[in-house]
């Protein structure tokens, strides 16, 4: 499964030459970087940026970045294929601890679930309170809101801080997904 994981990592494709082409079953969307990205947020009040007229509000950025996920979901459905999953690290650490705009994740989760997919929160590096105001990085964008179960991931992956220095990792999932794995592999 290591190669499958690497196949969905833009980081591996954007670095070096060991991977040259994304698999056909993988859709990569732009990182929702509101500082340096295509849909950056207007920082003019804080920095007197002279390009402020070209920048977005946080909600505009969330809508624009989520549109890439919505389009990918639509493309998959239009090809008669079934969407598997949307996987995202809540605070993209390799990219520079990029935190998505507030409504981005809500919009993406809705699009993915409407298309029949599941939402996987990658908390290997950013989980267990490492971002400060919440336990999980996926909660960061809406940590000030009430606990919203529609934003609860279907699967959560945890790792580095989970073992406190020991090489431990885990996958946590809903009972609905876990029950799909209830297959008897041993028989007497």
């Amino acid at each position: 499964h290591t190669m499958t994981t690497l196949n969905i990592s833009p980081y591996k494709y954007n670095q070096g030459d060991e991977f040259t082409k994304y698999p056909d079953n993988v859709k990569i969307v732009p990182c929702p970087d509101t500082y340096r990205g295509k849909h950056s947020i207007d920082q003019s009040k804080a920095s007197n940026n002279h390009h402020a007229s070209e920048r977005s509000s946080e909600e505009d950025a969330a809508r624009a970045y989520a549109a890439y996920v919505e389009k990918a979901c639509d493309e998959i459905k239009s090809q008669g294929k079934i969407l598997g999953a949307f996987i995202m690290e809540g605070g993209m650490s390799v990219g520079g601890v990029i935190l998505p705009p507030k409504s981005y994740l809500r919009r993406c989760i809705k699009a993915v679930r409407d298309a029949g997919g599941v939402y996987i929160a990658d908390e290997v590096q950013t989980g267990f309170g490492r971002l400060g105001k919440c336990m999980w990085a996926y909660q960061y964008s809406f940590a000030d809101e009430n606990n919203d179960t529609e934003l609860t991931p279907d699967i959560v992956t945890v790792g580095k801080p989970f073992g406190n220095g020991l090489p431990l990792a885990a996958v946590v999932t809903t009972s609905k997904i876990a029950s799909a794995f209830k297959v008897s592999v041993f028989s007497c």
Side-chain angles (χ1 to χ4, degrees):
H1 298 297
T2 301
M3 288 307 294
T4 301
T5 303
L6 292 173
N7 279 338
I8 63 169
S9 173
Y11 171 73
K12 291 298 177 189
Y13 285 89
N14 297 333
Q15 309 290 324
D17 58 5
E18 69 268 31
F19 296 93
T20 57
K21 182 180 181 285
Y22 292 109
D24 293 336
N25 64 329
V26 174
K27 300 277 186 196
I28 302 297
V29 296
C31 174
D33 185 346
T34 59
Y35 183 67
R36 294 173 296 270
K38 183 176 183 178
H39 307 288
S40 58
I41 294 175
D42 183 351
Q43 304 287 333
S44 63
K45 293 178 182 139
S47 64
N48 294 324
N49 187 330
H50 63 280
H51 297 292
S53 62
E54 301 169 17
R55 307 238 173 169
S56 303
S57 70
E58 183 172 14
E59 186 57 30
D60 290 341
R63 190 177 303 112
Y65 281 119
Y68 295 106
V69 175
E70 293 162 352
K71 180 181 177 191
C73 291
D74 290 343
E75 285 175 7
I76 291 167
K77 285 175 26 180
S78 72
Q79 295 169 354
K81 297 179 180 175
I82 298 171
L83 178 68
F86 170 71
I87 184 168
M88 182 181 150
E89 185 178 18
M92 289 147 272
S93 57
V94 171
V97 189
I98 296 167
L99 301 170
K102 283 194 182 285
S103 70
Y104 172 78
L105 202 49
R106 180 182 306 280
R107 292 170 180 277
C108 292
I109 293 169
K110 180 178 180 347
V112 167
R113 288 186 174 151
D114 286 352
V118 297
Y119 163 47
I120 303 172
D122 175 356
E123 297 285 343
V124 169
Q125 293 190 68
T126 54
F128 292 100
R130 285 180 146 190
L131 296 183
K133 73 178 187 178
C134 51
M135 182 65 170
W136 304 108
Y138 79 83
Q139 296 170 320
Y140 192 86
S141 295
F142 52 90
D144 301 325
E145 300 175 20
N146 294 329
N147 188 10
D148 195 341
T149 57
E150 76 181 31
L151 300 174
T152 301
D154 299 293
I155 300 171
V156 178
T157 61
V158 295
K160 296 177 184 191
F162 180 58
N164 194 26
L166 297 173
L168 288 176
V171 174
V172 182
T173 189
T174 62
S175 57
K176 180 181 177 183
I177 291 178
S179 67
F181 291 97
K182 287 185 180 177
V183 177
S184 177
V185 292
F186 300 104
S187 60
C188 298

